[in-house]
Amino acid sequence: MAKLTIEDISGELKGKKVLMRVDFNVPLDANRVITSDKRISASLPSIKFVIEKGGKLILMSHLGRPKGKKTPEFSLDVVVVKLSELLGKPVKFAHDCIGDEVKKMADSLNDGDVMLLENLRFYKEEEGNDPEFSKKLASLGEIYINDAFGTAHRAHASTAGVCKYIKKCAAGFLMEKELKFLGKLLSKPEKPFIAILGGAKVSDKIMVIENLLNIVDGIIIGGGMAYTFLKAKGRQIGDSLCENDKVNTAKEILKKALDKNVSIYLPIDHIVAKLPQGDGDFMEKLKKAEYKEVLVDDIDDGWEGVDIGKNTIEKFSNVIAKSKTIFWNGPMGVFEVDQFSKGTLGIAQAMAASGAVTVVGGGDSASALKKLKLTDKMTHVSTGGGASMEFMEGIELPGVAALTDK
Ligand code: AMP
């Protein structure tokens, strides 16, 4: 890796105040109980490494969207308890992330001690990448480590700004692992390389598709976004999700793919649903909807495609079976509703059986894999949905660019 890593600076950690950006943005239920500690455990290797090397560890993270206000419901107080439990040692908690009190606490740490700062996003200056705020954060540590891949696509004070004021800024183990697996996709992936894209919107994925067209041999498109492409091909899509202002973009993408000899695979059949009339939440209505499988690629008015059909699962699975590298982002249907999760399950199972290098771009695909208990069958499941997609656009992430070159 071109950037300094935690291992590169292992000999320099002893006795030093190490400021580490982690992604502890954990899901909480209505009683503020952590429903998954995956994000905390994902950074444990970096945390334990600094402790073992005798560093004085100062952890910082955001939680939720407090929008620059000190909001108790977004306090990291619940995380500090969980972290102590997972580490098996006490972790100090600072009730702020900047200021004299916090600095005093950081200065009084002993070798191997750990403290966690309060939510960075209690200050609007964090997301604003404010230089003064960055300086205040930087004053807490002598070495900086970024292990928060999930926020590396954001140029915030704690992910980018702070690096202007600390000499040595390195990637943590999680960050390094993410960059290694995603980086391999962009440089010399084993061929055939197939991307599988799904989810609701085409607009979110245009930049990724544009970049993928230069690297992949084929793109499988499913989920809601497939209908904009099917419309671009002149198919009837009934009431399926469609971004009408992106139909022309879809046409251009199809043309570019043809020019570049990249195969685009679209659904050939669907599960369609007829939603009950009236207001109400889409998911709730969908759970009660009448549905059927249509074994053609045209959909009648009044019906909307909510999953790929069995012929499509077979068609996509055959492509997957012949691939050596696969990148997947976005479900093939409304997988949150059991009766419409078969397409996503089928694709995940085909990936698991393919023997290919399988990299999953976080977000909904990661949740789908978890729901389907197939996470362990993938080569790598990214912890950063947005970050992994921006990485696949071929852009250097600000949180990575800010780290010290080797
Ligand atoms: P995205 O954030 O764009 O990756 O979209 C993920 C969401 O797309 C999930 O919540 C799915 O329920 C939804 N989705 C997938 N397929 C469809 C579809 N055919 N119609 C409507 N929503 C869909």
Side-chain angles (χ1 to χ4, degrees):
M1 188 162 130
K3 297 289 182 181
L4 216 56
T5 68
I6 188 167
E7 266 186 319
D8 295 331
I9 54 165
S10 62
E12 301 169 46
L13 298 171
K14 184 153 179 52
K16 293 271 173 51
K17 284 181 287 173
V18 180
L19 184 63
M20 187 189 290
R21 176 58 157 104
V22 284
D23 181 3
F24 285 170
N25 185 26
V26 290
L28 298 176
D29 69 11
N31 298 316
R32 302 195 70 239
V33 173
I34 298 172
T35 53
S36 163
D37 60 20
K38 205 180 113 208
R39 286 195 166 144
I40 306 177
S41 42
S43 271
L44 286 180
S46 295
I47 293 171
K48 286 183 177 164
F49 189 80
V50 174
I51 297 171
E52 276 159 22
K53 297 288 170 197
K56 303 168 178 180
L57 186 58
I58 302 144
L59 297 166
M60 55 179 175
S61 176
H62 74 284
L63 175 65
R65 295 196 170 151
K67 296 190 178 143
K69 289 209 175 69
K70 292 187 180 172
T71 325
E73 71 181 279
F74 293 117
S75 172
L76 280 163
D77 54 0
V78 282
V79 171
V80 83
V81 177
K82 191 64 178 178
L83 177 62
S84 299
E85 204 180 293
L86 293 172
L87 276 177
K89 69 180 270 151
V91 176
K92 294 180 180 149
F93 185 54
H95 293 275
D96 207 337
C97 61
I98 50 165
D100 292 343
E101 281 304 308
V102 182
K103 198 156 177 356
K104 251 188 243 162
M105 244 177 115
D107 289 340
S108 68
L109 291 175
N110 293 313
D111 294 2
D113 279 355
V114 186
M115 74 182 265
L116 173 67
L117 305 182
E118 183 53 290
N119 195 340
L120 294 158
R121 292 196 187 164
F122 281 180
Y123 290 86
K124 65 177 183 344
E125 290 85 348
E126 157 65 358
E127 289 182 83
N129 197 10
D130 178 81
E132 284 310 310
F133 183 75
S134 302
K135 239 187 248 179
K136 285 180 191 160
L137 288 177
S139 73
L140 299 173
E142 296 157 281
I143 289 176
Y144 169 85
I145 292 171
N146 192 348
D147 210 25
F149 178 74
T151 45
H153 58 314
R154 307 277 180 233
H156 292 167
S158 67
T159 59
V162 71
C163 294
K164 292 203 179 96
Y165 311 102
I166 296 186
K167 229 170 149 194
K168 287 217 166 145
C169 299
F173 290 118
L174 174 63
M175 176 74 90
E176 199 188 344
K177 184 172 151 211
E178 292 274 8
L179 297 175
K180 183 179 117 191
F181 281 109
L182 291 165
K184 264 195 205 155
L185 297 181
L186 297 185
S187 66
K188 301 208 184 87
E190 212 186 323
K191 299 265 188 169
F193 177 15
I194 293 290
I196 307 170
L197 300 177
K201 286 189 179 168
V202 178
S203 45
D204 294 346
K205 295 183 175 113
I206 291 168
M207 308 278 279
V208 174
I209 298 176
E210 295 275 356
N211 194 39
L212 286 173
L213 285 175
N214 301 317
I215 338 168
V216 298
D217 301 289
I219 305 180
I220 288 175
I221 299 179
M225 65 183 282
Y227 297 101
T228 306
F229 282 91
L230 288 170
K231 187 159 181 183
K233 290 192 82 165
R235 311 307 316 185
Q236 271 181 52
I237 59 162
D239 291 356
S240 305
L241 201 69
C242 179
E243 285 173 272
N244 285 316
D245 60 336
K246 292 290 174 286
V247 173
N248 276 334
T249 311
K251 278 185 190 161
E252 281 162 23
I253 289 171
L254 291 170
K255 167 139 197 345
K256 270 190 207 166
L258 205 63
D259 294 344
K260 290 178 187 272
N261 212 11
V262 174
S263 312
I264 302 277
Y265 304 96
L266 288 166
I268 48 171
D269 60 351
H270 315 267
I271 308 292
V272 294
K274 188 181 258 181
L275 265 67
Q277 297 287 316
D279 297 335
D281 178 66
F282 172 73
M283 287 294 176
E284 288 311 312
K285 283 168 80 176
L286 199 54
K287 280 181 198 158
K288 295 182 211 135
E290 184 189 341
Y291 67 94
K292 62 181 182 185
E293 185 151 19
V294 291
L295 295 173
V296 285
D297 57 359
D298 287 318
I299 300 173
D300 292 335
D301 286 346
W303 293 86
E304 65 182 276
V306 286
D307 197 6
I308 53 176
K310 60 171 178 277
N311 294 330
T312 306
I313 298 178
E314 200 185 324
K315 170 180 151 175
F316 289 178
S317 299
N318 287 337
V319 176
I320 290 168
K322 291 188 195 113
S323 305
K324 289 272 186 294
T325 306
I326 304 166
F327 171 71
W328 177 34
N329 187 283
M332 295 291 103
V334 188
F335 75 100
E336 297 93 332
V337 179
D338 277 346
Q339 53 270 39
F340 309 127
S341 65
K342 287 199 187 95
T344 304
L345 173 66
I347 270 20
Q349 279 170 335
M351 282 177 70
S354 68
V357 171
T358 48
V359 179
V360 182
D364 275 315
S365 321
S367 325
L369 282 175
K370 197 174 159 215
K371 189 176 167 207
L372 306 167
K373 299 196 171 50
L374 285 170
T375 308
D376 294 343
K377 303 271 184 233
M378 302 294 137
T379 311
H380 178 67
V381 180
S382 176
T383 52
S388 66
M389 286 304 267
E390 288 200 24
F391 187 93
M392 293 307 285
E393 286 173 18
I395 302 167
E396 191 175 26
L397 307 178
V400 179
L403 300 176
T404 313
D405 291 326
K406 262 194 189 165

